Amino acid sequence: MRLSKYFLPVLKETPKEAEIVSHRLMLRAAMLKQEASGLYAWLPLGYRVLRKVQNIIEQEQDRAGAIELLMPTLQPADLWRESGRYDAYGKEMLRVTDRHERDMLYGPTNEEMITSIFRSNVKSYKDLPLNLYHIQWKFRDEIRPRFGTMRSREFLMKDAYSFDLDKEASVKSYHRMFVAYLRTYYRMGLTAIPMQAETGPIGGDLSHEFIVLADTGESGVFCDKALLDQPIPPKDVDFDGDLTSYVNDWTQMYAATEDMIDMDKFQADVPEERRIEARGIEVGQVFYFGTKYSEPMGATVADANGQDVPVHMGSYGIGLTRLVPAIIEASHDDDGIIWPVSVAPFELALINLKTGDESCVAQCDTLYKQLENAGIEVLYDDRDVGAGGKFATADLIGLPYQMIVGPRGLKNNEVEIKNRKTGERTNVSLEQAVDFLLERIVPERRQDV
Ligand code: 5CA
């Protein structure tokens, strides 16, 4: 992409309304624009990141055996009357009436609708286990939307729903999502710790929140420091096999949110030097709630004896539009964002230091083609502006690598490559530049871990 033809209205000033660094940087880097309280437009640069996050989630959900579909944002109130949640949900639910005076709502989550899809189509235990998911916009009329898309009113969520014959099988489905989540966050460059959590309006008695530690996080959390070094289940993990040992690795050490903390147990289980009392961002939550929806809504299957029994269910959410600022909270410096390669809007900023110089332009154009042919995602700063402005923009928008091309280097047949994260600069010959980058970028995509 040539920057001269792109839409990247970066801001020089720091917007006053933004209280936390990720919100400030998302506005300054032209990723977002606020349209109303808790409602945001995703500008092209931000949308590229969101799409990368979505891709990783889809790959890991699919790998774990979940099947993608798409449900509407608006839902009929009658479905929610069946489960009893239409009244229980309160003011967070945005209620609307259509022209026929039918009560509708903008979905805050989809347990009811997925249960209705299940009950009209699945009748036998032989069709289980089943896990269906979608990635769709949700609306919760939060009393205090804040921190940009970290807590917004409209937000993009992945929600998966599992159906099983009994509790034992349902816990296996829970484990599959648990392992998929560990891999998902890792691939985005995050360490997300599963913590025992409250179930709130979703219900049930087994739940974990996945938490990224950050000072600006909204939840108080307590956990064992050793969790930060736990191994991530590998790409070839057998999702049809027994995943208990992976889950145990991550749950045997103490970790709980402030709603669930048992201080005596925390202090007894975790040696003092390993106790973390911190703040964190909830980037996902998984629930097992048994027959809470299937029973009132009549979602039953015939078991092996031909008896109709309500299915056991779980639901599994990831907040995509919260993940993007969470990654920034975890990875930035004074100059701007530092994207992990796997979610970066582009992998490389190609910077032409001298736009008036014919040989510089020709060389940059050639490099741009070579880099694109090699499959590297390049944002080519071909604008007619000074070097300082180009460096500032590249640092602000946080592309993981910069290739800096100027007349002085070209005299020696060289370009400079800067690693945004470490600040390391290396002079590389024109012939070797593409390979130099591929060697670094390809493993950092984390596609094969
Ligand atoms: N039905 C269940 C699981 S699918 C559910 O709704 N779970 S949830 O309420 O925990 O939401 C799932 C995830 O959505 C949260 O972990 C969080 O990452 C994200 N989320 C929830 N509310 C917001 C919000 N107001 N703004 C941004 N993200 C949110």
Side-chain angles (χ1 to χ4, degrees):
M1 176 62 66
R2 284 176 183 267
L3 190 41
S4 61
K5 297 197 166 72
Y6 199 49
F7 181 67
L8 187 71
V10 297
L11 307 178
K12 284 217 177 66
E13 306 299 317
T14 301
K16 278 190 234 47
E17 73 269 26
E19 295 169 65
I20 60 171
V21 67
S22 57
H23 190 196
R24 282 197 288 277
L25 288 172
M26 286 178 82
L27 292 171
R28 284 191 54 212
M31 295 176 65
L32 276 188
K33 180 176 174 299
Q34 184 172 1
E35 298 301 331
S37 166
L39 294 186
Y40 291 87
W42 285 75
L43 303 184
L45 194 81
Y47 190 51
R48 285 182 73 99
V49 179
L50 194 57
R51 290 302 297 257
K52 292 241 172 130
V53 164
Q54 175 157 355
N55 270 336
I56 293 175
I57 292 173
E58 287 171 342
Q59 283 169 9
E60 295 300 331
Q61 289 291 293
D62 296 351
R63 187 170 282 159
I67 306 166
E68 191 165 17
L69 46 60
L70 185 59
M71 292 175 268
T73 51
L74 288 178
Q75 306 186 21
D78 280 346
L79 264 184
W80 287 65
R81 292 195 174 103
E82 287 188 46
S83 70
R85 278 208 296 184
Y86 187 64
D87 293 326
Y89 219 94
K91 290 201 162 192
E92 269 196 15
M93 179 184 279
L94 182 67
R95 296 155 206 259
V96 284
T97 314
D98 71 10
R99 68 201 297 168
H100 306 295
E101 298 296 316
R102 284 191 200 107
D103 292 334
M104 314 281 288
L105 58 103
Y106 194 128
T109 174
N110 282 60
E111 278 80 6
E112 284 77 359
M113 191 175 277
I114 201 79
T115 304
S116 88
I117 291 175
F118 179 90
R119 76 178 168 195
S120 20
N121 293 290
V122 183
K123 306 286 180 208
S124 163
Y125 77 100
K126 290 183 188 150
D127 297 323
L128 304 181
L130 183 65
N131 184 327
L132 299 170
Y133 78 98
H134 74 160
I135 294 178
Q136 178 61 291
W137 293 92
K138 308 290 188 292
F139 193 96
R140 293 181 188 172
D141 207 348
E142 299 273 351
I143 191 158
R144 260 197 91 194
R146 57 183 186 154
F147 302 159
T149 62
M150 193 75 92
R151 179 168 295 282
S152 49
R153 296 199 297 167
E154 194 181 28
F155 59 96
L156 190 60
M157 192 209 283
K158 184 285 298 183
D159 36 329
Y161 302 88
S162 64
F163 302 89
D164 286 279
L165 185 59
D166 53 28
K167 178 165 184 179
E168 195 188 335
S170 202
V171 168
K172 285 190 183 144
S173 293
Y174 188 93
H175 286 180
R176 282 193 279 275
M177 287 293 105
F178 193 102
V179 166
Y181 275 37
L182 292 171
R183 292 188 39 75
T184 300
Y185 299 120
Y186 173 72
R187 285 188 55 192
M188 296 173 191
L190 290 172
T191 306
I193 304 171
M195 305 199 180
Q196 295 169 43
E198 268 206 329
T199 54
I202 308 293
D205 53 18
L206 171 62
S207 180
H208 288 89
E209 284 180 7
F210 286 74
I211 302 274
V212 174
L213 298 182
D215 294 339
T216 48
E218 291 187 286
S219 326
V221 298
F222 300 80
C223 69
D224 189 328
K225 196 174 178 187
L227 281 162
L228 296 173
D229 303 316
Q230 278 299 306
I232 300 294
K235 184 180 180 181
D236 60 0
V237 57
D238 177 13
F239 279 101
D240 294 326
D242 185 359
L243 300 172
T244 319
S245 69
Y246 293 110
V247 176
N248 285 350
D249 280 350
W250 280 87
T251 51
Q252 70 198 359
M253 277 174 269
Y254 197 87
T257 61
E258 59 198 342
D259 307 324
M260 294 290 279
I261 177 75
D262 174 344
M263 219 24 126
D264 293 338
K265 190 163 166 41
F266 178 54
Q267 288 173 354
D269 284 9
V270 187
E272 199 170 350
E273 68 281 4
R274 290 203 333 234
R275 279 180 215 149
I276 295 185
E277 297 190 30
R279 305 208 62 80
I281 303 167
E282 180 209 320
V283 288
Q285 186 165 3
V286 292
F287 303 82
Y288 163 74
F289 43 72
T291 58
K292 173 174 171 178
Y293 301 90
S294 57
E295 216 163 273
M297 295 185 66
T300 59
V301 292
D303 69 11
N305 303 318
Q307 288 275 304
D308 277 345
V309 292
V311 283
H312 285 246
M313 292 174 58
S315 72
Y316 315 90
I318 295 183
L320 283 79
T321 44
R322 179 179 288 179
L323 262 172
V324 176
I327 295 167
I328 297 175
E329 289 293 329
S331 184
H332 65 270
D333 64 14
D334 289 346
D335 296 324
I337 304 167
I338 305 173
W339 290 114
V341 167
S342 60
V343 293
F346 297 91
E347 295 168 324
L348 175 78
L350 171 61
I351 299 175
N352 179 0
L353 284 185
K354 208 150 185 207
T355 30
D357 181 312
E358 247 175 63
S359 77
C360 238
V361 173
Q363 197 51 256
C364 279
D365 287 355
T366 307
L367 280 164
Y368 178 50
K369 274 199 209 101
Q370 290 172 344
L371 290 159
E372 294 241 295
N373 288 340
I376 295 174
E377 294 177 12
V378 188
L379 184 63
Y380 173 15
D381 196 343
D382 59 342
R383 295 171 306 160
D384 194 8
V385 301
K390 291 188 179 181
F391 291 142
T393 299
D395 282 348
L396 172 66
I397 67 172
L399 307 187
Y401 290 92
Q402 298 171 11
M403 181 185 279
I404 301 155
V405 184
R408 215 178 305 154
L410 286 181
K411 259 192 213 138
N412 302 328
N413 229 21
E414 277 180 354
V415 294
E416 185 179 50
I417 292 174
K418 175 179 157 183
N419 179 320
R420 174 70 182 86
K421 186 172 173 185
T422 62
E424 189 189 349
R425 292 165 185 274
T426 318
N427 289 327
V428 184
S429 74
L430 282 172
E431 293 72 42
Q432 285 167 353
V434 174
D435 285 343
F436 180 94
L437 281 165
L438 281 176
E439 266 168 39
R440 283 154 184 80
I441 287 174
V442 173
E444 288 180 40
R445 286 179 185 150
R446 294 197 175 176
Q447 278 165 342
D448 285 308
V449 290

